[in-house]
Amino acid sequence: KTLGKPIKCKGAVCRGAGEALVIEEIEVATPKAYEVRIKVLCTSLCHSDLTYWKGLEGPRGVFPRIFGHEAVGMVESVGDNVVEVKEGDIVIPFFHPNCEECWDCKSKESNICSKFPFGGLGMPRDGTSRFTDSKGEIVHNFIKVSSFIEYTVVDICNLVKINPDFPLDKACLLSCGVPTGIGAAWKTAKVKKGSTVAIFGLGAIGLAVAEGARISGAAKIIGIDLNPQKFKLGSKFGVTDFINPKDCGNRPVNEVIKEMTDGGADYCFECVGLASLMNLAFTSCRNGSGKTIILGIEMNGTPLSLGCYELLRGKTITGSIFGGIKAKTDIPILAQSYIDKELHLDDFITHEVNFEDINEAFDLLIQGKSLRCIIWM
Ligand code: CXF
Ligand code: ZN
C-alpha cells in the first residue's frame, strides 16, 4: 500500500548543533533508480553521529538533519535498476560505498570506492535528500544512511543483504563501528598469529580491534586507557594486559610497552583521535617491522608530525576508513563468524531504548557509559 508513494512516518530530527532530537512527522520520498526504501528495524548510535551532531561541518553545521548510520532494516520497495534486493529482504546499510565495479572495489587492496567518493551531502548519485518535514522543507541526509527514522532511502551501493534469521540487534552492530575495529586488525594491519598488539583507547572501536586481534591469534593484546574500569571490560574482548597511563608515574608509556613486548608492539592502534596519542602509538611499535594504524579522527584538527628517525627504523604508519572493510563481501563474512561462535558481538550491546527515548542513547554515549545502545523502532 505504500509502494510507489511517499511515506509519512516518525523521524528523530536534529534542528541545531548539540540540540536534543525531536520526533516529527517526516515525508520519505519513493526510491529513485538504484535506490532502496527500507523500514528501519533497529539502529544504534556511533561516535561519528555525535561528532557531526556537535556541528562539525562549518560554523553552524548542517541542519535540520536525520542522523544515524548503524542500522538493520527490511526492504519496503526498490527503485528502477535494483536487482540485488527485493521487498521483504533484511539489509544492513553502511556509510562507506561499495559499488563493486570501480577499480578500487575490484582491487583486493583498497576499500575506497572511487565511483562514489566519501563526502558530500545527500544521496550518492544526485546529492539530494529524500526527506521533507511537515512544512515541506528539506531535512538533510547523514552519510548516505540516516537511520533515526522509521523509513529511509539508501543507495544499493550502501546496502548488503543478510540472512533473515540473523538476530537484528547483532546485525545492527555490523553496520559501522564494530567492523571498523575488527577490520583494522584483520584487513588493515593483517595481525599475525602470536604477535603483540597495543590498543590506545578502549571505546567500542578499540574493543572491536581487540576482538579482531584475538580472532587473528595475537598472543598479547595490551589495552591503554585512562579509565581503570576498562580493563575488566577489555578482558571480555581479548585484552590480555592493561596500562593506565595514570599509574605509570613518570615512565613514558612507550617505554612500558617496549618492556612488555621485548622491544615494541608488532601492531599499535590509535582509537581516540589525538595527534599526541598517534605519536605515542608510533613510538611504541617495534623497530624494523612495527605497524601503527590510525583509526581516530583528530578531535582538534591537529596535524600529525612524526619523528623521521622512527620512519627510518622501518616502521609503518597508516590509517583506514571502515577498517579497510569491503562491506558487500566482508559484512556477510563477519555475520557467519558470529553464527560460528568465533566472533563475539553480544558484549558490545550495553543498553537498549525505544525510539521515543533516543536522546537517552546520546546521554549514555556522551557520559561514556555505553558501548552500543540499540534503539528499537
Ligand atoms: C566515520 C568515518 C569518518 C567520516 C565520518 C564517518 N565513520 C563512521 O562512523
Ligand atoms: Zn559510525
Side-chain angles (χ1 to χ4, degrees):
K1 43 193 175 356
T2 50
L3 198 75
K5 292 185 218 148
I7 294 179
K8 285 197 172 115
C9 67
K10 281 189 249 163
V13 181
C14 181
R15 296 218 161 248
E19 289 179 18
L21 309 190
V22 181
I23 309 264
E24 295 182 20
E25 188 182 85
I26 296 294
E27 187 170 290
V28 183
T30 53
K32 294 191 180 181
Y34 301 100
E35 292 176 356
V36 180
R37 190 161 60 182
I38 67 176
K39 182 180 198 304
V40 178
L41 299 171
C42 67
T43 179
S44 49
L45 183 62
C46 167
H47 210 278
S48 303
D49 293 301
L50 285 187
T51 306
Y52 287 78
W53 168 75
K54 287 177 190 159
L56 172 93
E57 302 129 302
R60 269 174 259 103
V62 176
F63 301 103
R65 200 170 201 182
I66 293 175
F67 285 108
H69 64 281
E70 279 190 2
V72 59
M74 184 192 278
V75 175
E76 175 271 339
S77 63
V78 300
D80 289 343
N81 306 329
V82 173
V83 289
E84 200 180 311
V85 300
K86 58 177 192 313
E87 193 187 326
D89 282 350
I90 303 295
V91 290
I92 296 178
F94 44 85
F95 77 99
H96 191 59
N98 187 189
C99 80
E100 295 188 294
E101 282 170 4
C102 71
W103 190 96
D104 293 271
C105 283
K106 280 196 213 142
S107 128
K108 273 209 165 72
E109 306 304 320
S110 158
N111 78 328
I112 312 284
C113 175
S114 40
K115 185 165 172 190
F116 298 113
F118 179 76
L121 262 182
M123 299 298 288
R125 289 171 209 260
D126 70 1
T128 60
S129 168
R130 301 287 167 268
F131 307 123
T132 40
D133 68 10
S134 57
K135 291 187 186 126
E137 277 165 33
I138 284 172
V139 178
H140 295 287
N141 176 281
F142 179 59
I143 57 173
K144 321 302 166 201
V145 177
S146 285
S147 57
F148 294 163
I149 184 165
E150 291 175 308
Y151 289 86
T152 188
V153 178
V154 179
D155 195 278
I156 191 64
C157 293
N158 293 80
L159 272 184
V160 63
K161 191 160 114 175
I162 56 149
N163 184 330
D165 300 330
F166 197 86
L168 293 174
D169 51 348
K170 264 63 93 175
C172 183
L173 293 183
L174 295 179
S175 194
C176 178
V178 171
T180 297
I182 294 174
W186 169 33
K187 297 262 156 169
T188 313
K190 302 184 176 75
V191 168
K192 288 193 190 127
K193 204 165 184 284
S195 61
T196 56
V197 172
I199 303 166
F200 295 77
L202 296 180
I205 302 292
L207 292 168
V209 171
E211 182 59 13
R214 181 187 70 76
I215 294 172
S216 304
K220 190 175 264 199
I221 303 173
I222 306 167
I224 301 105
D225 202 290
L226 291 166
N227 178 351
Q229 290 172 357
K230 295 283 174 139
F231 186 32
K232 193 162 165 266
L233 182 67
S235 60
K236 290 191 194 174
F237 299 88
V239 174
T240 58
D241 297 78
F242 185 71
I243 300 174
N244 189 334
K246 285 186 197 160
D247 300 337
C248 293
N250 46 21
R251 288 197 66 205
V253 172
N254 52 359
E255 291 302 325
V256 177
I257 292 174
K258 281 180 189 167
E259 196 179 284
M260 289 168 79
T261 53
D262 196 16
D266 296 312
Y267 309 95
C268 290
F269 296 87
E270 201 275 357
C271 307
V272 175
L274 283 170
S276 56
L277 210 55
M278 297 174 190
N279 242 302
L280 184 65
F282 194 45
T283 56
S284 303
C285 73
R286 176 174 296 279
N287 285 338
S289 60
K291 271 193 192 178
T292 297
I293 293 93
I294 307 298
L295 299 180
I297 297 167
E298 222 295 336
M299 56 181 88
N300 307 304
T302 306
L304 180 60
S305 67
L306 297 173
C308 302
Y309 283 102
E310 297 289 330
L311 278 172
L312 287 177
R313 291 186 188 118
K315 300 179 177 188
T316 305
I317 184 163
T318 187
S320 62
I321 195 157
F322 205 19
I325 289 277
K326 290 165 103 77
K328 297 249 190 194
T329 43
D330 295 336
I331 289 178
I333 293 173
L334 294 177
Q336 188 58 45
S337 177
Y338 176 76
I339 297 293
D340 296 341
K341 298 193 163 33
E342 290 160 2
L343 172 61
H344 300 164
L345 292 174
D346 301 28
D347 289 328
F348 284 103
I349 302 174
T350 53
H351 298 80
E352 303 189 38
V353 298
N354 291 324
F355 184 45
E356 290 71 35
D357 303 318
I358 190 165
N359 288 299
E360 285 177 24
F362 277 67
D363 295 340
L364 288 163
L365 192 61
I366 292 165
Q367 292 165 22
K369 289 185 184 157
S370 61
L371 290 174
R372 279 298 182 267
C373 178
I374 302 289
I375 300 156
W376 290 100
M377 306 307 283

mmCIF file with all atom_site columns, all heavy atoms in Angstrom, residues 46 48 52 69 95 118 143 176 297 321, ligand 1:
data_model
loop_
_atom_site.group_PDB
_atom_site.id
_atom_site.type_symbol
_atom_site.label_atom_id
_atom_site.label_alt_id
_atom_site.label_comp_id
_atom_site.label_asym_id
_atom_site.label_entity_id
_atom_site.label_seq_id
_atom_site.pdbx_PDB_ins_code
_atom_site.Cartn_x
_atom_site.Cartn_y
_atom_site.Cartn_z
_atom_site.occupancy
_atom_site.B_iso_or_equiv
_atom_site.pdbx_formal_charge
_atom_site.auth_seq_id
_atom_site.auth_comp_id
_atom_site.auth_asym_id
_atom_site.auth_atom_id
_atom_site.pdbx_PDB_model_num
ATOM   1  N N   . CYS A 1 46  ? 26.611 5.713  16.953 1.00 0.00 ? 46  CYS A N   1
ATOM   2  C CA  . CYS A 1 46  ? 28.068 5.597  16.788 1.00 0.00 ? 46  CYS A CA  1
ATOM   3  C C   . CYS A 1 46  ? 28.664 6.955  17.151 1.00 0.00 ? 46  CYS A C   1
ATOM   4  O O   . CYS A 1 46  ? 27.996 7.985  17.059 1.00 0.00 ? 46  CYS A O   1
ATOM   5  C CB  . CYS A 1 46  ? 28.359 5.225  15.334 1.00 0.00 ? 46  CYS A CB  1
ATOM   6  S SG  . CYS A 1 46  ? 30.079 5.378  14.815 1.00 0.00 ? 46  CYS A SG  1
ATOM   7  N N   . SER A 1 48  ? 30.567 8.844  15.576 1.00 0.00 ? 48  SER A N   1
ATOM   8  C CA  . SER A 1 48  ? 30.544 9.819  14.473 1.00 0.00 ? 48  SER A CA  1
ATOM   9  C C   . SER A 1 48  ? 29.231 10.599 14.417 1.00 0.00 ? 48  SER A C   1
ATOM   10 O O   . SER A 1 48  ? 29.221 11.747 13.965 1.00 0.00 ? 48  SER A O   1
ATOM   11 C CB  . SER A 1 48  ? 30.747 9.134  13.125 1.00 0.00 ? 48  SER A CB  1
ATOM   12 O OG  . SER A 1 48  ? 31.943 8.418  13.140 1.00 0.00 ? 48  SER A OG  1
ATOM   13 N N   . TYR A 1 52  ? 29.245 14.853 14.339 1.00 0.00 ? 52  TYR A N   1
ATOM   14 C CA  . TYR A 1 52  ? 28.533 15.723 13.402 1.00 0.00 ? 52  TYR A CA  1
ATOM   15 C C   . TYR A 1 52  ? 27.365 16.449 14.074 1.00 0.00 ? 52  TYR A C   1
ATOM   16 O O   . TYR A 1 52  ? 27.017 17.568 13.697 1.00 0.00 ? 52  TYR A O   1
ATOM   17 C CB  . TYR A 1 52  ? 28.050 14.925 12.185 1.00 0.00 ? 52  TYR A CB  1
ATOM   18 C CG  . TYR A 1 52  ? 29.187 14.557 11.247 1.00 0.00 ? 52  TYR A CG  1
ATOM   19 C CD1 . TYR A 1 52  ? 30.044 13.502 11.532 1.00 0.00 ? 52  TYR A CD1 1
ATOM   20 C CD2 . TYR A 1 52  ? 29.418 15.301 10.088 1.00 0.00 ? 52  TYR A CD2 1
ATOM   21 C CE1 . TYR A 1 52  ? 31.083 13.167 10.687 1.00 0.00 ? 52  TYR A CE1 1
ATOM   22 C CE2 . TYR A 1 52  ? 30.459 14.977 9.230  1.00 0.00 ? 52  TYR A CE2 1
ATOM   23 C CZ  . TYR A 1 52  ? 31.296 13.911 9.541  1.00 0.00 ? 52  TYR A CZ  1
ATOM   24 O OH  . TYR A 1 52  ? 32.332 13.591 8.697  1.00 0.00 ? 52  TYR A OH  1
ATOM   25 N N   . HIS A 1 69  ? 23.589 6.004  11.455 1.00 0.00 ? 69  HIS A N   1
ATOM   26 C CA  . HIS A 1 69  ? 24.144 5.278  10.305 1.00 0.00 ? 69  HIS A CA  1
ATOM   27 C C   . HIS A 1 69  ? 24.499 3.841  10.644 1.00 0.00 ? 69  HIS A C   1
ATOM   28 O O   . HIS A 1 69  ? 25.114 3.162  9.836  1.00 0.00 ? 69  HIS A O   1
ATOM   29 C CB  . HIS A 1 69  ? 25.350 6.032  9.730  1.00 0.00 ? 69  HIS A CB  1
ATOM   30 C CG  . HIS A 1 69  ? 26.507 6.126  10.687 1.00 0.00 ? 69  HIS A CG  1
ATOM   31 N ND1 . HIS A 1 69  ? 26.534 7.042  11.707 1.00 0.00 ? 69  HIS A ND1 1
ATOM   32 C CD2 . HIS A 1 69  ? 27.641 5.417  10.783 1.00 0.00 ? 69  HIS A CD2 1
ATOM   33 C CE1 . HIS A 1 69  ? 27.653 6.879  12.397 1.00 0.00 ? 69  HIS A CE1 1
ATOM   34 N NE2 . HIS A 1 69  ? 28.345 5.889  11.856 1.00 0.00 ? 69  HIS A NE2 1
ATOM   35 N N   . PHE A 1 95  ? 27.724 3.374  5.674  1.00 0.00 ? 95  PHE A N   1
ATOM   36 C CA  . PHE A 1 95  ? 28.033 4.732  5.185  1.00 0.00 ? 95  PHE A CA  1
ATOM   37 C C   . PHE A 1 95  ? 29.070 4.751  4.068  1.00 0.00 ? 95  PHE A C   1
ATOM   38 O O   . PHE A 1 95  ? 29.136 5.695  3.300  1.00 0.00 ? 95  PHE A O   1
ATOM   39 C CB  . PHE A 1 95  ? 28.525 5.611  6.350  1.00 0.00 ? 95  PHE A CB  1
ATOM   40 C CG  . PHE A 1 95  ? 29.960 5.341  6.743  1.00 0.00 ? 95  PHE A CG  1
ATOM   41 C CD1 . PHE A 1 95  ? 30.992 6.166  6.287  1.00 0.00 ? 95  PHE A CD1 1
ATOM   42 C CD2 . PHE A 1 95  ? 30.285 4.256  7.540  1.00 0.00 ? 95  PHE A CD2 1
ATOM   43 C CE1 . PHE A 1 95  ? 32.312 5.918  6.623  1.00 0.00 ? 95  PHE A CE1 1
ATOM   44 C CE2 . PHE A 1 95  ? 31.609 3.994  7.885  1.00 0.00 ? 95  PHE A CE2 1
ATOM   45 C CZ  . PHE A 1 95  ? 32.624 4.823  7.431  1.00 0.00 ? 95  PHE A CZ  1
ATOM   46 N N   . PHE A 1 118 ? 33.695 9.283  -0.741 1.00 0.00 ? 118 PHE A N   1
ATOM   47 C CA  . PHE A 1 118 ? 33.030 9.644  0.503  1.00 0.00 ? 118 PHE A CA  1
ATOM   48 C C   . PHE A 1 118 ? 32.933 11.158 0.627  1.00 0.00 ? 118 PHE A C   1
ATOM   49 O O   . PHE A 1 118 ? 33.831 11.886 0.252  1.00 0.00 ? 118 PHE A O   1
ATOM   50 C CB  . PHE A 1 118 ? 33.783 9.070  1.701  1.00 0.00 ? 118 PHE A CB  1
ATOM   51 C CG  . PHE A 1 118 ? 33.144 9.446  3.004  1.00 0.00 ? 118 PHE A CG  1
ATOM   52 C CD1 . PHE A 1 118 ? 31.990 8.810  3.405  1.00 0.00 ? 118 PHE A CD1 1
ATOM   53 C CD2 . PHE A 1 118 ? 33.663 10.453 3.786  1.00 0.00 ? 118 PHE A CD2 1
ATOM   54 C CE1 . PHE A 1 118 ? 31.366 9.170  4.596  1.00 0.00 ? 118 PHE A CE1 1
ATOM   55 C CE2 . PHE A 1 118 ? 33.046 10.820 4.982  1.00 0.00 ? 118 PHE A CE2 1
ATOM   56 C CZ  . PHE A 1 118 ? 31.901 10.179 5.384  1.00 0.00 ? 118 PHE A CZ  1
ATOM   57 N N   . ILE A 1 143 ? 25.487 10.978 6.004  1.00 0.00 ? 143 ILE A N   1
ATOM   58 C CA  . ILE A 1 143 ? 26.426 9.995  5.447  1.00 0.00 ? 143 ILE A CA  1
ATOM   59 C C   . ILE A 1 143 ? 25.746 8.776  4.793  1.00 0.00 ? 143 ILE A C   1
ATOM   60 O O   . ILE A 1 143 ? 26.079 7.629  5.053  1.00 0.00 ? 143 ILE A O   1
ATOM   61 C CB  . ILE A 1 143 ? 27.558 9.586  6.431  1.00 0.00 ? 143 ILE A CB  1
ATOM   62 C CG1 . ILE A 1 143 ? 27.059 9.020  7.757  1.00 0.00 ? 143 ILE A CG1 1
ATOM   63 C CG2 . ILE A 1 143 ? 28.449 10.783 6.722  1.00 0.00 ? 143 ILE A CG2 1
ATOM   64 C CD1 . ILE A 1 143 ? 28.198 8.462  8.655  1.00 0.00 ? 143 ILE A CD1 1
ATOM   65 N N   . CYS A 1 176 ? 28.719 -0.389 11.304 1.00 0.00 ? 176 CYS A N   1
ATOM   66 C CA  . CYS A 1 176 ? 29.807 0.617  11.256 1.00 0.00 ? 176 CYS A CA  1
ATOM   67 C C   . CYS A 1 176 ? 30.944 0.363  12.239 1.00 0.00 ? 176 CYS A C   1
ATOM   68 O O   . CYS A 1 176 ? 32.016 -0.082 11.851 1.00 0.00 ? 176 CYS A O   1
ATOM   69 C CB  . CYS A 1 176 ? 29.272 2.041  11.447 1.00 0.00 ? 176 CYS A CB  1
ATOM   70 S SG  . CYS A 1 176 ? 30.588 3.282  11.451 1.00 0.00 ? 176 CYS A SG  1
ATOM   71 N N   . ILE A 1 297 ? 39.758 10.026 14.614 1.00 0.00 ? 297 ILE A N   1
ATOM   72 C CA  . ILE A 1 297 ? 39.678 11.247 13.808 1.00 0.00 ? 297 ILE A CA  1
ATOM   73 C C   . ILE A 1 297 ? 40.114 12.370 14.737 1.00 0.00 ? 297 ILE A C   1
ATOM   74 O O   . ILE A 1 297 ? 39.470 12.593 15.772 1.00 0.00 ? 297 ILE A O   1
ATOM   75 C CB  . ILE A 1 297 ? 38.243 11.443 13.283 1.00 0.00 ? 297 ILE A CB  1
ATOM   76 C CG1 . ILE A 1 297 ? 37.907 10.265 12.360 1.00 0.00 ? 297 ILE A CG1 1
ATOM   77 C CG2 . ILE A 1 297 ? 38.094 12.776 12.557 1.00 0.00 ? 297 ILE A CG2 1
ATOM   78 C CD1 . ILE A 1 297 ? 36.457 10.138 12.010 1.00 0.00 ? 297 ILE A CD1 1
ATOM   79 N N   . ILE A 1 321 ? 39.720 3.685  6.587  1.00 0.00 ? 321 ILE A N   1
ATOM   80 C CA  . ILE A 1 321 ? 38.336 4.074  6.823  1.00 0.00 ? 321 ILE A CA  1
ATOM   81 C C   . ILE A 1 321 ? 37.516 2.793  6.781  1.00 0.00 ? 321 ILE A C   1
ATOM   82 O O   . ILE A 1 321 ? 37.788 1.905  5.961  1.00 0.00 ? 321 ILE A O   1
ATOM   83 C CB  . ILE A 1 321 ? 37.870 5.143  5.803  1.00 0.00 ? 321 ILE A CB  1
ATOM   84 C CG1 . ILE A 1 321 ? 36.577 5.796  6.290  1.00 0.00 ? 321 ILE A CG1 1
ATOM   85 C CG2 . ILE A 1 321 ? 37.701 4.594  4.403  1.00 0.00 ? 321 ILE A CG2 1
ATOM   86 C CD1 . ILE A 1 321 ? 36.336 7.175  5.717  1.00 0.00 ? 321 ILE A CD1 1
HETATM 87 C C1  . CXF B 2 .   ? 33.169 7.919  10.038 1.00 0.00 ? 1   CXF B C1  1
HETATM 88 C C2  . CXF B 2 .   ? 34.490 7.978  9.394  1.00 0.00 ? 1   CXF B C2  1
HETATM 89 C C3  . CXF B 2 .   ? 34.898 9.365  9.131  1.00 0.00 ? 1   CXF B C3  1
HETATM 90 C C4  . CXF B 2 .   ? 33.870 10.177 8.489  1.00 0.00 ? 1   CXF B C4  1
HETATM 91 C C5  . CXF B 2 .   ? 32.524 10.066 9.106  1.00 0.00 ? 1   CXF B C5  1
HETATM 92 C C6  . CXF B 2 .   ? 32.113 8.678  9.337  1.00 0.00 ? 1   CXF B C6  1
HETATM 93 N N1  . CXF B 2 .   ? 32.838 6.598  10.135 1.00 0.00 ? 1   CXF B N1  1
HETATM 94 C C7  . CXF B 2 .   ? 31.818 6.118  10.796 1.00 0.00 ? 1   CXF B C7  1
HETATM 95 O O1  . CXF B 2 .   ? 31.434 6.375  11.884 1.00 0.00 ? 1   CXF B O1  1
#
